[in-house]
Amino acid sequence: MRFLFSTGSLHTYGIDRCFAIAAQAGCDGIELMVDQRWDTRQPAYLRELSRRCRLPIVAIHAPFSVVPGWPAGQPAQIAQSVALAEAVGAEVVVHHLPLRLGYAAVSAGARRFFFPLPGWNMEEGYRRWLAGGGYRRLQASTTVRLCIENMPARRVGRRRLNLHHWNSTEAIMRFDAITMDTTHLGTWALDAAAVYAAWGSRVQHIHLSNFDAGREHRRPEQGELRLDRLLALLAATRYAHNVTLELHPDALDAGQEDGRLVALLRASVDACRRWAAGAPAQEVAA
């Protein structure tokens, strides 16, 4: 299994700097988040950057908001992401489950608070495309795997709120290929190893990060989730796909000297490799 770095982990940095940090930290490849940065969607530049840093672009994450120069709406953006993946040699396009209602978000430091807006269905057209023939036809037209991602719970007071269609461990199994996001499972108080065992071969991509006291996308070795058990299970079942470290910028101390970010990311990648080799969490932490 290969350990990739998501450029979304440092979405406030230039894309070339993301590649350089990943290369110095010993990552095996890149998951490219398509976002407002023009450099994230220019194939010739991306191929040259991949060659220069000796890091393959293994996965593309479709944008989840409007980006300049690309069509609006998830079906068109996913199709455009497939074209980008084909152009840079990526194997996977990651995309989200559709929203079932609208919401407003307010940020406070590293946390975001969500407030539902009943009566506003933001992505009904996207839901119909996924449920109908459009999604299947797109997958049939390409060798790039479309991997839909499980989504987090959002807190409203003490209640967990589900903002997305098919966002349960049972309902998402209608899809053949899933991106399993571990911190999103943590928001539902679910054990990643148990969910992986239930989903089986449907898990064809993984977003790996920890969950700690309500904070998402922590470094794998810092949080409540026993990701050592998950990685040991992946190795035991000969998981043949990729694992992406998808972190929040503050989990890598973004804004500090690059050497600090490289050291933290290298420590996380090394911990993951040791867990996959059977080392327990206590040994890695030591």
Side-chain angles (χ1 to χ4, degrees):
M1 103 188 55
R2 289 179 296 184
F3 292 97
L4 315 179
F5 178 67
S6 168
T7 61
S9 304
L10 293 172
H11 58 82
T12 55
Y13 281 37
I15 201 71
D16 56 343
R17 201 169 172 194
C18 294
F19 271 71
I21 288 169
Q24 292 173 59
C27 296
D28 298 315
I30 291 290
E31 178 173 322
L32 181 77
M33 170 66 76
V34 178
D35 56 29
Q36 299 295 320
R37 295 169 288 188
W38 278 102
D39 290 350
T40 64
R41 50 194 188 279
Q42 296 178 319
Y45 174 73
L46 290 167
R47 288 192 297 268
E48 171 57 24
L49 188 56
S50 175
R51 183 199 64 77
R52 190 192 327 148
C53 294
R54 298 182 181 180
L55 282 176
I57 301 171
V58 180
I60 301 290
H61 196 311
F64 39 82
S65 62
V66 176
V67 294
W70 273 36
Q74 281 293 291
Q77 290 187 341
I78 293 168
Q80 192 83 11
S81 297
V82 167
L84 178 61
E86 291 172 340
V88 299
E91 302 170 2
V92 169
V93 165
V94 176
H95 60 103
H96 288 176
L97 287 166
L99 288 160
R100 63 186 184 87
L101 70 161
Y103 65 89
V106 177
S107 296
R111 298 193 181 189
R112 299 182 77 200
F113 299 91
F114 294 80
F115 303 93
L117 301 175
W120 180 27
N121 192 327
M122 297 175 68
E123 294 187 335
E124 176 58 21
Y126 177 36
R127 185 197 68 79
R128 290 197 301 267
W129 180 78
L130 286 168
Y135 186 60
R136 291 191 296 273
R137 285 193 294 272
L138 178 59
Q139 181 60 91
S141 72
T142 182
T143 58
V144 174
R145 291 193 310 278
L146 302 175
C147 292
I148 201 162
E149 180 179 349
N150 63 291
M151 300 305 289
R154 293 308 180 193
R155 288 279 188 174
V156 177
R158 294 181 178 273
R159 294 180 55 204
R160 290 186 178 98
L161 179 67
N162 179 18
L163 295 177
H164 296 82
H165 290 284
W166 306 309
N167 195 28
S168 71
T169 54
E170 296 80 19
I172 200 172
M173 290 177 72
R174 67 181 289 145
F175 297 99
D176 294 332
I178 298 172
T179 294
M180 188 178 81
D181 187 298
T182 59
T183 204
H184 293 172
L185 294 175
T187 67
W188 293 102
L190 294 171
D191 177 70
V195 173
Y196 171 73
W199 287 350
S201 62
R202 285 181 173 83
V203 179
Q204 297 186 23
H205 195 72
I206 293 174
H207 282 170
L208 194 79
S209 61
N210 219 313
F211 179 73
D212 183 31
R215 296 191 303 163
E216 299 177 30
H217 298 289
R218 302 296 95 194
R219 291 169 57 213
E221 64 272 40
Q222 294 185 328
E224 304 165 11
L225 307 181
R226 289 297 305 270
L227 298 180
D228 58 323
R229 293 175 179 167
L230 172 64
L231 285 163
L233 181 59
L234 295 179
T237 57
R238 298 185 180 180
Y239 173 75
H241 305 291
N242 300 289
V243 176
T244 295
L245 275 71
E246 187 187 65
L247 309 173
H248 190 281
D250 69 7
L252 290 173
D253 285 356
Q256 300 297 317
E257 293 295 324
D258 283 4
R260 170 66 175 167
L261 278 71
V262 168
L264 290 175
L265 181 57
R266 182 187 296 117
S268 292
V269 172
D270 288 347
C272 290
R273 289 186 176 131
R274 291 174 65 187
W275 288 337
Q282 304 92 294
E283 180 181 331
V284 171

